[in-house]
Amino acid sequence: MSAAVETDNSGISVQQARGGMPAHHAAIFIALLAAGLVAPFLLYPVFVMKVLCFALFACAFNLLLGYGGLLSFGHAAYFGGAAYISAHAAKVWGFPPELAILSGTLAAAILGTAIGALAIRRQGIYFAMVTLAFAQMVFFFSLQAPFTGGEDGIQAVPRGMLFGLINLRSDITLYFVVLAIFLGGLLMIYRIIHSPFGQVLKAIRENEPRAISLGYRTNRYKLAVFVLSATLAGLAGSTKAIVFQLASLTDVHWSMSGEVVLMTLIGGMGTVFGPIVGAAVIVTMQNYLATMGAWVTVIQGCIFVICVLLFREGVVGVIARWVKRPL
Amino acid sequence: MDDGVILAADDLTKEFKGFFAVEGVSLKIKRGQIHALIGPNGAGKTTCFNLLTKFLPPTRGRIIYKGQDITAMSPADIARLGLVRSFQISAVFPHLTALENVRIALQRQRGDSFDFWRSQKVLLQFDERARALLAEVGLSEFEQTEAGDLPYGRKRALEIATTLALDPEMLLLDEPMAGMGHEDVDRIAALIRRISADRTILMVEHNLSVVASLSDTITVLARGKVLAEGDYASVSKDPRVIEAYIGAGHG
């Protein structure tokens, strides 16, 4: 079926009902691609790569919170855990970067399956607490395990040769690889949200007892989205380890789990593009206000309070309300 | 043992820390009937309902659906057998459109929908049937309205359309008329009568005129136990029922 646009008094919803990507979403994707291609020539590439890694992390988190309705307070475990595995694979096992990233991502998927299977048995705040508890276990494991390098982390991770062909030592070369990973991850999340699975997920988020009464075994869907989210968070963490050539305790610390909640809420929970904006805002602040030391946290806190008080839907959520279209 | 009974409960009991919300209730619901469960507030009607659909595990007792013991099954699996319930408060998916609400139920025909890699275009095949169901409950013009924005009576109608989308053999309706205005009550009552043609319905309902006009059999619960059973004429004359439920004023 072609994506023919039918005109109706509500043209957009007709098109959405048809299941294709609405024109304004396609336009945003093209704009993101264009911005992504130009950005490294205007901004410091390593900074933009950091934004992209965190944006993917926040988008993965938002898949769980915004579309699955599940607030995990332990997503640092998958982000940071994957970073350790990816760094270890590249440095000690001598894996090429693509396999190192894949190993980290796979590790996050396995970790997500194990933790998710236990956590989804609880609801609401208890779910959040269970995920936090497991993330703390991962933190202490990372602190104590010999291969993680304790307080030092895994440093000087080689970026290596992509597919044995492309040397990633140059920031610009690596940048385009990271951009491809980010866009690929984002498109995958977009598809998940707009799939038959995504529809059931939204139904469960909206009214779980009703979804059960229609015959959906909701725990299985919740586990599936948990694993998908953890896996994509792992992809972001693995990539970050290669970019910064470093995996450290910061990545698995509980404050990282908090930061991704912050990014998602500021950008707009339950919007496709909001977490990207949220990640950009937070990472930019951390980078450009770094000289202010601990004040960054205070400023972040203030911004969060303002955001919650004045525009609870987040930046993109507010814009979506203005233009009356889901973003 | 199939003597026309589709759903049977035997000695169904639910105890909450020493308090018996439902105690030793045995029910037999005959295929094709509209069976009403009535009783004063706190009689255990909704608890009974939750037990039958396994949203609560019973402390004791057995539930037999079409000759199969379903006591140990999960609520989702019971729905898959064709025993589908509604809820006391309207149960729609508020941020999905009316069409999408019905489609969620139709989507069950695909089995499980774990295919996150596929475009939702595959769901377009259900649109036609979804529109037909919306038309059946008079919601055609609201197909693109978010369910949360519908007026209360329309939400209940949407809920029924969604339930019908599963084509269930048996429906359990928990207070389908609760909180409705007069016109809505008449419309939903007509709808229930229409859909009961080839289905069995068990409903909890407070509105006695609705119960009187719709039901073939009525079971009266009081304090967690069955007080009386029969058609409206006999139940409404039963002195115990008058005392416990309808009250002296009606006598």
PDB file of all heavy atoms in Angstrom, chain A residues 123-136:
ATOM      1  N   GLN A 123       5.075  -3.057  40.314  1.00  0.00           N
ATOM      2  CA  GLN A 123       4.515  -1.909  39.607  1.00  0.00           C
ATOM      3  C   GLN A 123       5.014  -0.603  40.221  1.00  0.00           C
ATOM      4  O   GLN A 123       5.407  -0.565  41.374  1.00  0.00           O
ATOM      5  CB  GLN A 123       2.987  -1.910  39.727  1.00  0.00           C
ATOM      6  CG  GLN A 123       2.343  -3.260  39.590  1.00  0.00           C
ATOM      7  CD  GLN A 123       1.806  -3.485  38.204  1.00  0.00           C
ATOM      8  OE1 GLN A 123       1.316  -2.552  37.575  1.00  0.00           O
ATOM      9  NE2 GLN A 123       1.897  -4.701  37.708  1.00  0.00           N
ATOM     10  N   GLY A 124       4.936   0.445  39.434  1.00  0.00           N
ATOM     11  CA  GLY A 124       5.147   1.811  39.914  1.00  0.00           C
ATOM     12  C   GLY A 124       6.463   2.007  40.638  1.00  0.00           C
ATOM     13  O   GLY A 124       7.523   1.646  40.144  1.00  0.00           O
ATOM     14  N   ILE A 125       6.385   2.586  41.842  1.00  0.00           N
ATOM     15  CA  ILE A 125       7.580   2.953  42.587  1.00  0.00           C
ATOM     16  C   ILE A 125       8.402   1.708  42.931  1.00  0.00           C
ATOM     17  O   ILE A 125       9.625   1.746  42.960  1.00  0.00           O
ATOM     18  CB  ILE A 125       7.209   3.758  43.852  1.00  0.00           C
ATOM     19  CG1 ILE A 125       8.451   4.333  44.535  1.00  0.00           C
ATOM     20  CG2 ILE A 125       6.421   2.929  44.843  1.00  0.00           C
ATOM     21  CD1 ILE A 125       9.074   5.480  43.818  1.00  0.00           C
ATOM     22  N   TYR A 126       7.735   0.577  43.139  1.00  0.00           N
ATOM     23  CA  TYR A 126       8.455  -0.645  43.494  1.00  0.00           C
ATOM     24  C   TYR A 126       9.292  -1.125  42.310  1.00  0.00           C
ATOM     25  O   TYR A 126      10.413  -1.603  42.477  1.00  0.00           O
ATOM     26  CB  TYR A 126       7.480  -1.731  43.960  1.00  0.00           C
ATOM     27  CG  TYR A 126       6.684  -1.273  45.141  1.00  0.00           C
ATOM     28  CD1 TYR A 126       5.373  -0.860  45.009  1.00  0.00           C
ATOM     29  CD2 TYR A 126       7.275  -1.197  46.398  1.00  0.00           C
ATOM     30  CE1 TYR A 126       4.653  -0.388  46.088  1.00  0.00           C
ATOM     31  CE2 TYR A 126       6.572  -0.726  47.487  1.00  0.00           C
ATOM     32  CZ  TYR A 126       5.257  -0.320  47.330  1.00  0.00           C
ATOM     33  OH  TYR A 126       4.571   0.157  48.393  1.00  0.00           O
ATOM     34  N   PHE A 127       8.728  -0.954  41.126  1.00  0.00           N
ATOM     35  CA  PHE A 127       9.481  -1.285  39.914  1.00  0.00           C
ATOM     36  C   PHE A 127      10.744  -0.424  39.843  1.00  0.00           C
ATOM     37  O   PHE A 127      11.844  -0.924  39.625  1.00  0.00           O
ATOM     38  CB  PHE A 127       8.595  -1.041  38.683  1.00  0.00           C
ATOM     39  CG  PHE A 127       9.317  -1.177  37.379  1.00  0.00           C
ATOM     40  CD1 PHE A 127       9.510  -2.418  36.804  1.00  0.00           C
ATOM     41  CD2 PHE A 127       9.822  -0.058  36.730  1.00  0.00           C
ATOM     42  CE1 PHE A 127      10.184  -2.545  35.606  1.00  0.00           C
ATOM     43  CE2 PHE A 127      10.495  -0.175  35.534  1.00  0.00           C
ATOM     44  CZ  PHE A 127      10.676  -1.421  34.973  1.00  0.00           C
ATOM     45  N   ALA A 128      10.570   0.879  40.070  1.00  0.00           N
ATOM     46  CA  ALA A 128      11.712   1.798  40.019  1.00  0.00           C
ATOM     47  C   ALA A 128      12.772   1.398  41.052  1.00  0.00           C
ATOM     48  O   ALA A 128      13.974   1.403  40.764  1.00  0.00           O
ATOM     49  CB  ALA A 128      11.239   3.236  40.255  1.00  0.00           C
ATOM     50  N   MET A 129      12.314   1.025  42.254  1.00  0.00           N
ATOM     51  CA  MET A 129      13.250   0.670  43.318  1.00  0.00           C
ATOM     52  C   MET A 129      14.003  -0.626  43.000  1.00  0.00           C
ATOM     53  O   MET A 129      15.198  -0.738  43.268  1.00  0.00           O
ATOM     54  CB  MET A 129      12.505   0.513  44.652  1.00  0.00           C
ATOM     55  CG  MET A 129      12.020   1.826  45.225  1.00  0.00           C
ATOM     56  SD  MET A 129      13.400   2.934  45.572  1.00  0.00           S
ATOM     57  CE  MET A 129      13.068   4.276  44.479  1.00  0.00           C
ATOM     58  N   VAL A 130      13.303  -1.590  42.423  1.00  0.00           N
ATOM     59  CA  VAL A 130      13.962  -2.853  42.068  1.00  0.00           C
ATOM     60  C   VAL A 130      15.038  -2.597  41.014  1.00  0.00           C
ATOM     61  O   VAL A 130      16.169  -3.090  41.126  1.00  0.00           O
ATOM     62  CB  VAL A 130      12.932  -3.894  41.558  1.00  0.00           C
ATOM     63  CG1 VAL A 130      13.642  -5.113  40.998  1.00  0.00           C
ATOM     64  CG2 VAL A 130      11.990  -4.302  42.679  1.00  0.00           C
ATOM     65  N   THR A 131      14.710  -1.769  40.007  1.00  0.00           N
ATOM     66  CA  THR A 131      15.706  -1.484  38.974  1.00  0.00           C
ATOM     67  C   THR A 131      16.894  -0.735  39.572  1.00  0.00           C
ATOM     68  O   THR A 131      18.039  -0.990  39.211  1.00  0.00           O
ATOM     69  CB  THR A 131      15.102  -0.654  37.820  1.00  0.00           C
ATOM     70  OG1 THR A 131      14.471   0.508  38.367  1.00  0.00           O
ATOM     71  CG2 THR A 131      14.090  -1.452  37.032  1.00  0.00           C
ATOM     72  N   LEU A 132      16.625   0.169  40.516  1.00  0.00           N
ATOM     73  CA  LEU A 132      17.711   0.906  41.170  1.00  0.00           C
ATOM     74  C   LEU A 132      18.599  -0.050  41.965  1.00  0.00           C
ATOM     75  O   LEU A 132      19.834   0.025  41.897  1.00  0.00           O
ATOM     76  CB  LEU A 132      17.139   1.991  42.092  1.00  0.00           C
ATOM     77  CG  LEU A 132      18.153   2.748  42.965  1.00  0.00           C
ATOM     78  CD1 LEU A 132      19.151   3.497  42.092  1.00  0.00           C
ATOM     79  CD2 LEU A 132      17.455   3.713  43.906  1.00  0.00           C
ATOM     80  N   ALA A 133      17.958  -0.960  42.693  1.00  0.00           N
ATOM     81  CA  ALA A 133      18.721  -1.905  43.514  1.00  0.00           C
ATOM     82  C   ALA A 133      19.662  -2.740  42.652  1.00  0.00           C
ATOM     83  O   ALA A 133      20.844  -2.907  42.973  1.00  0.00           O
ATOM     84  CB  ALA A 133      17.769  -2.809  44.289  1.00  0.00           C
ATOM     85  N   PHE A 134      19.154  -3.221  41.523  1.00  0.00           N
ATOM     86  CA  PHE A 134      20.003  -4.036  40.650  1.00  0.00           C
ATOM     87  C   PHE A 134      21.119  -3.191  40.035  1.00  0.00           C
ATOM     88  O   PHE A 134      22.243  -3.659  39.866  1.00  0.00           O
ATOM     89  CB  PHE A 134      19.171  -4.702  39.555  1.00  0.00           C
ATOM     90  CG  PHE A 134      18.473  -5.938  40.031  1.00  0.00           C
ATOM     91  CD1 PHE A 134      17.092  -5.983  40.154  1.00  0.00           C
ATOM     92  CD2 PHE A 134      19.202  -7.071  40.366  1.00  0.00           C
ATOM     93  CE1 PHE A 134      16.450  -7.118  40.604  1.00  0.00           C
ATOM     94  CE2 PHE A 134      18.568  -8.210  40.821  1.00  0.00           C
ATOM     95  CZ  PHE A 134      17.186  -8.233  40.942  1.00  0.00           C
ATOM     96  N   ALA A 135      20.791  -1.931  39.705  1.00  0.00           N
ATOM     97  CA  ALA A 135      21.815  -1.065  39.128  1.00  0.00           C
ATOM     98  C   ALA A 135      22.928  -0.807  40.144  1.00  0.00           C
ATOM     99  O   ALA A 135      24.104  -0.729  39.780  1.00  0.00           O
ATOM    100  CB  ALA A 135      21.191   0.254  38.677  1.00  0.00           C
ATOM    101  N   GLN A 136      22.563  -0.706  41.426  1.00  0.00           N
ATOM    102  CA  GLN A 136      23.580  -0.521  42.460  1.00  0.00           C
ATOM    103  C   GLN A 136      24.474  -1.758  42.566  1.00  0.00           C
ATOM    104  O   GLN A 136      25.672  -1.654  42.784  1.00  0.00           O
ATOM    105  CB  GLN A 136      22.911  -0.226  43.814  1.00  0.00           C
ATOM    106  CG  GLN A 136      22.345   1.178  43.919  1.00  0.00           C
ATOM    107  CD  GLN A 136      23.384   2.258  43.646  1.00  0.00           C
ATOM    108  OE1 GLN A 136      23.548   2.696  42.519  1.00  0.00           O
ATOM    109  NE2 GLN A 136      24.110   2.691  44.673  1.00  0.00           N
TER     110      GLN A 136
END
